[in-house]
Amino acid sequence: MPKKGEILVTQNGAVLQNIDLVGDIRVEADNVVIRNVRISAPQSSDIDQWGILQWVGHSGLIVEDSEIGGRSDTELRQAVMNDGGLVTVLRCDIHGMSKKGVYTSQGDIEDNYIHDPYWFAAADGEIDMIRVDGSPDPGTSLLIKHNALIDTTTTNSAISLFEADGGTPSGVTVEDNYMATAGWAIYAGGQTAATSDIVVKDNVFWTKFKDGYGYVTEWNPDGPGNVWSGNRWENGKPAPLPS
């Protein structure tokens, strides 16, 4: 029988595992591990803001080998939402969200399957498999590696980088991912935004974008440390920066 409601974690170093939960997990502690859990949005609820949240002032959350899913009748806005420091998301199946699969500016997102969001009018169609807002904390960065990011029904992004709260995305490495989107695969922060150290390499893009969309937009080629290399279409042909 699934547990229901919110689980609040306040003990540093806590390990939550082998849980089937209809509800959400809120982490107000450091170095918490969430492993082998299934989190489902409540049935016929108006809005579920997150599946897992790391709260402000806390860091070190690891989410691994888990499933987080929304419902067609419930708006799960963020599957994994990070308002704190570092977060690691490994080997998870994330789907059915209405806004963001993983929402963080720093940490490690590897070997995940993030896919098939639900579209809700109340969410304004703001759907990203991975969303970065603003700058990472000093001394941190974000690695997005070897994920399958798939959204073939809406016209939003696999990965979106945005200026926010006075900060500009920096220190983001996007490597060896597969991105299948009808809209933009990567929204790269802004052609004139002061992005830096954005490295996009060895990724594979599918070829069925809707008219007017493609694998990258708003890339600043002059941002210090910004690198685009080795990216290709799924047929093996190079995917260079658009001229």
Side-chain angles (χ1 to χ4, degrees):
M1 178 69 67
K3 294 184 178 182
K4 294 184 178 181
E6 181 176 81
I7 296 175
L8 175 62
V9 183
T10 58
Q11 179 182 345
N12 292 341
V15 177
L16 276 71
Q17 59 187 354
N18 307 326
I19 296 172
D20 188 357
L21 174 67
V22 177
D24 63 83
I25 300 174
R26 182 184 178 105
V27 176
E28 298 186 9
D30 296 329
N31 303 317
V32 171
V33 177
I34 298 173
R35 176 189 300 131
N36 193 32
V37 303
R38 181 172 65 180
I39 299 175
S40 305
Q43 185 174 7
S44 299
S45 177
D46 290 334
I47 295 175
D48 199 16
Q49 291 289 351
W50 54 76
I52 297 174
L53 169 68
Q54 178 171 252
W55 189 234
V56 175
H58 299 286
S59 186
L61 172 65
I62 298 174
V63 182
E64 59 186 11
D65 302 307
S66 296
E67 180 182 1
I68 305 158
R71 303 174 57 92
S72 61
D73 59 356
T74 296
E75 190 183 339
L76 172 60
R77 290 200 161 175
Q78 285 81 216
V80 179
M81 183 174 179
N82 179 32
D83 280 340
L86 293 173
V87 65
T88 299
V89 183
L90 302 174
R91 300 179 303 275
C92 291
D93 181 359
I94 296 172
H95 56 90
M97 58 285 177
S98 68
K99 283 201 169 189
K100 305 166 185 73
V102 179
Y103 190 8
T104 186
S105 298
Q106 58 233 350
D108 186 356
I109 306 170
E110 290 195 58
D111 297 314
N112 301 285
Y113 181 30
I114 307 176
H115 61 105
D116 296 308
Y118 288 121
W119 190 91
F120 286 81
D124 301 321
E126 186 184 327
I127 303 172
D128 304 301
M129 303 304 97
I130 298 173
R131 173 69 172 258
V132 176
D133 277 349
S135 307
D137 291 341
T140 69
S141 59
L142 176 62
L143 176 63
I144 302 170
K145 185 175 182 179
H146 201 241
N147 303 281
L149 309 174
I150 299 174
D151 174 12
T152 60
T153 58
T154 77
T155 53
N156 290 276
S157 300
I159 300 172
S160 285
L161 314 178
F162 282 94
E163 295 182 288
D165 300 324
T168 302
S170 64
V172 180
T173 297
V174 179
E175 179 180 358
D176 190 28
N177 301 279
Y178 175 70
M179 296 178 233
T181 56
W184 298 110
I186 301 174
Y187 183 94
Q191 289 182 325
T192 60
T195 57
S196 61
D197 298 310
I198 308 299
V199 177
V200 181
K201 63 181 181 179
D202 301 330
N203 299 282
V204 176
F205 306 104
W206 87 328
T207 59
K208 300 177 183 179
F209 298 101
K210 290 187 177 181
D211 289 345
Y213 294 90
Y215 50 80
V216 63
T217 188
E218 296 298 323
W219 175 267
N220 181 355
D222 300 318
N226 288 355
V227 175
W228 181 279
S229 69
N231 301 297
R232 62 194 187 278
W233 297 97
E234 61 183 357
N235 61 12
K237 293 183 178 180
L241 284 172
S243 56

